[in-house]
Amino acid sequence: MKTMTDYLWFDTAKHREFINITEKVEELVQRSGIAEGFVLVSAMHITAGVYVNDAESGLISDIDEWLEKLAPYRPDYRHHDTGESNGDAHLKSLLIHHEVIVPVTSGKLDLGPWQQVYYAEFDGQRRKRVIVKAIGE
Amino acid sequence: MKTMTDYLWFDTAKHREFINITEKVEELVQRSGIAEGFVLVSAMHITAGVYVNDAESGLISDIDEWLEKLAPYRPDYRHHDTGESNGDAHLKSLLIHHEVIVPVTSGKLDLGPWQQVYYAEFDGQRRKRVIVKAIGE
Amino acid sequence: MKTMTDYLWFDTAKHREFINITEKVEELVQRSGIAEGFVLVSAMHITAGVYVNDAESGLISDIDEWLEKLAPYRPDYRHHDTGESNGDAHLKSLLIHHEVIVPVTSGKLDLGPWQQVYYAEFDGQRRKRVIVKAIGE
């Protein structure tokens, strides 16, 4: 059995941002020498997400608007009594989910033709991390 | 360590459909000879989902209506500028999530008494795939 | 390869409850002797969830209110034709998701500084279970 652990760092220019990390994950998996297994891609923060969907800019705008509609910014979240103002970012992270497992087959990410791995930042402009961990053989 | 990789194909008659795939996953796991491990069941498309919940037809109608309410069909998604009309199917897929991990214990899916694995099609009437990949020993 | 399988039992006093189970999961992983791998934490019921987010009581109230808004109690779910009254709990479970995978690195849960593992009960006051299953080496 082989394992590989690495971390990707982000410091986005914008408060909210969607970053395609498929190639970086693919590169780490290839370097690991794992041919058959799973790779976990998981945000290490509670105001960011990781998801798999299409690399189409119109759709990404749709996703952003939809998340704002279902988990809107509001001044009056109770979480803000702590001095924070990012209650909405926590809810957006829960909605989109903070992690995915990608299958690895014959040394490659076994994704469908349109599936891409995205890091979704909901409270950016600070240094944040994603763990990429693979197990297999 | 053992691994098993297989694919299930779907071509639904309806635009939206919910298909119980628990037995098929169970069968593949048994054939793999894996006694202890994880099986990943993951849609390879960005307009479909995989989830675990109850095999009760009333609940499935409730889930379908609820997804339509939270991620409705709309003509004006930006994604539709590409010629597509399935923006809602992408959002429904993100909401329900596209994959689950099922634990395998003593050669069986280690699910609770009411837990069933479902393929949720949100943009059907075309050939689509789910990967079933297990690792363990 | 090593595997570890255990179950946590809950019988909450309240109908809805959020329980931090990070330490229990950590303890099970340490006892397993697994240094590198994944631990799956998965509700075995269809009216409960498992998620990773902040251990902040204001935020937990925000999450609870938000789930009630997006997946409200309603008398008229079709699922209730079976005699049940917990349709909302199924939808809340789907929204928050019923499981997480936590990476294990150097024998510890490889979580970010604010990440905690929560069991979310949406239909409590009865005995329910979570599986904690790790694989690795």
Side-chain angles (χ1 to χ4, degrees):
Chain A
M1 191 182 152
K2 283 180 182 169
T3 69
M4 179 276 292
T5 309
D6 214 314
Y7 305 88
L8 303 175
W9 287 92
F10 301 92
D11 194 348
T12 61
K14 287 189 284 177
H15 185 61
R16 297 221 299 266
E17 219 166 304
F18 295 80
I19 301 167
N20 189 334
I21 57 174
T22 317
E23 272 185 44
K24 284 188 182 167
V25 175
E26 182 94 60
E27 210 180 287
L28 290 172
V29 166
Q30 278 173 9
R31 226 184 289 159
S32 77
I34 292 172
E36 298 294 324
F38 294 156
V39 56
L40 173 73
V41 186
S42 184
M44 300 186 79
H45 298 265
I46 50 192
T47 53
V50 173
Y51 70 89
V52 165
N53 214 284
D54 200 354
E56 198 278 297
S57 62
L59 180 71
I60 290 169
S61 299
D62 292 331
I63 292 171
D64 190 52
E65 275 180 32
W66 175 68
L67 289 170
E68 184 58 30
K69 199 179 153 207
L70 293 189
Y73 171 76
R74 276 174 36 193
D76 61 339
Y77 286 118
R78 292 179 197 190
H79 183 47
H80 297 178
D81 295 347
T82 63
E84 292 284 354
S85 60
N86 60 3
D88 70 301
H90 289 269
L91 302 181
K92 287 176 173 88
S93 159
L94 289 169
L95 185 52
I96 207 82
H97 217 55
H98 75 288
E99 65 183 1
V100 295
I101 291 271
V102 181
V104 177
T105 306
S106 305
K108 292 188 172 171
L109 302 185
D110 202 347
L111 292 166
W114 302 102
Q115 288 187 306
Q116 298 282 299
V117 185
Y118 271 84
Y119 173 68
E121 176 60 76
F122 302 123
D123 187 25
Q125 295 160 313
R126 56 183 86 180
R127 258 170 86 70
K128 291 171 103 169
R129 244 180 353 153
V130 164
I131 184 168
V132 181
K133 184 159 193 137
I135 69 175
E137 61 174 14
Chain B
M1 193 181 149
K2 284 181 183 170
T3 69
M4 178 276 292
T5 308
D6 216 313
Y7 304 89
L8 304 176
W9 288 90
F10 301 91
D11 193 348
T12 60
K14 286 189 284 176
H15 184 62
R16 296 221 299 268
E17 218 165 303
F18 295 80
I19 301 168
N20 189 336
I21 57 173
T22 317
E23 271 184 44
K24 284 189 182 165
V25 175
E26 182 94 59
E27 210 180 288
L28 289 172
V29 166
Q30 278 173 9
R31 227 185 289 159
S32 76
I34 291 173
E36 299 293 324
F38 295 156
V39 57
L40 173 73
V41 186
S42 184
M44 301 187 78
H45 298 265
I46 51 193
T47 53
V50 173
Y51 71 87
V52 165
N53 214 284
D54 200 354
E56 196 279 297
S57 63
L59 181 71
I60 290 169
S61 299
D62 292 329
I63 292 171
D64 191 51
E65 275 181 31
W66 175 69
L67 289 170
E68 184 58 31
K69 197 179 154 209
L70 292 189
Y73 170 76
R74 277 173 37 192
D76 61 340
Y77 287 117
R78 293 179 196 188
H79 183 48
H80 298 177
D81 295 346
T82 63
E84 293 282 354
S85 60
N86 60 2
D88 70 301
H90 289 268
L91 302 181
K92 287 176 173 88
S93 160
L94 288 170
L95 185 53
I96 207 82
H97 217 55
H98 75 288
E99 64 183 0
V100 296
I101 291 270
V102 181
V104 177
T105 305
S106 306
K108 293 191 171 169
L109 303 184
D110 201 347
L111 292 166
W114 302 102
Q115 288 187 307
Q116 298 283 299
V117 185
Y118 270 84
Y119 174 68
E121 176 60 77
F122 302 123
D123 187 25
Q125 296 159 314
R126 56 184 87 181
R127 257 169 86 69
K128 290 171 105 169
R129 245 182 351 154
V130 164
I131 183 168
V132 180
K133 183 158 193 137
I135 68 175
E137 62 174 13
Chain C
M1 193 181 150
K2 284 179 182 170
T3 69
M4 178 275 293
T5 308
D6 215 314
Y7 305 88
L8 303 176
W9 287 91
F10 300 92
D11 193 348
T12 60
K14 287 189 284 176
H15 185 60
R16 297 222 298 269
E17 218 164 305
F18 295 80
I19 300 168
N20 189 335
I21 57 173
T22 317
E23 271 184 45
K24 284 189 182 166
V25 175
E26 182 94 61
E27 210 180 289
L28 290 172
V29 167
Q30 279 173 10
R31 227 186 287 159
S32 76
I34 292 173
E36 299 294 323
F38 294 156
V39 57
L40 172 73
V41 186
S42 185
M44 301 186 79
H45 298 265
I46 51 192
T47 52
V50 173
Y51 71 89
V52 165
N53 214 284
D54 200 354
E56 198 279 298
S57 62
L59 181 72
I60 290 168
S61 298
D62 292 330
I63 293 170
D64 190 52
E65 275 180 31
W66 176 70
L67 289 170
E68 184 58 31
K69 198 179 154 207
L70 292 189
Y73 170 77
R74 278 174 35 194
D76 61 340
Y77 287 118
R78 293 179 195 189
H79 183 47
H80 298 178
D81 294 346
T82 63
E84 292 283 355
S85 60
N86 61 3
D88 70 302
H90 289 268
L91 301 181
K92 288 177 173 88
S93 160
L94 288 169
L95 185 52
I96 208 81
H97 217 55
H98 75 287
E99 65 184 0
V100 296
I101 290 271
V102 181
V104 177
T105 306
S106 305
K108 292 188 172 171
L109 303 184
D110 201 349
L111 292 166
W114 303 101
Q115 287 186 308
Q116 299 282 301
V117 185
Y118 270 84
Y119 173 69
E121 176 60 77
F122 302 123
D123 187 24
Q125 295 160 314
R126 56 183 88 179
R127 258 168 87 69
K128 289 171 105 169
R129 245 183 347 157
V130 165
I131 183 168
V132 180
K133 183 157 192 137
I135 68 174
E137 62 175 12

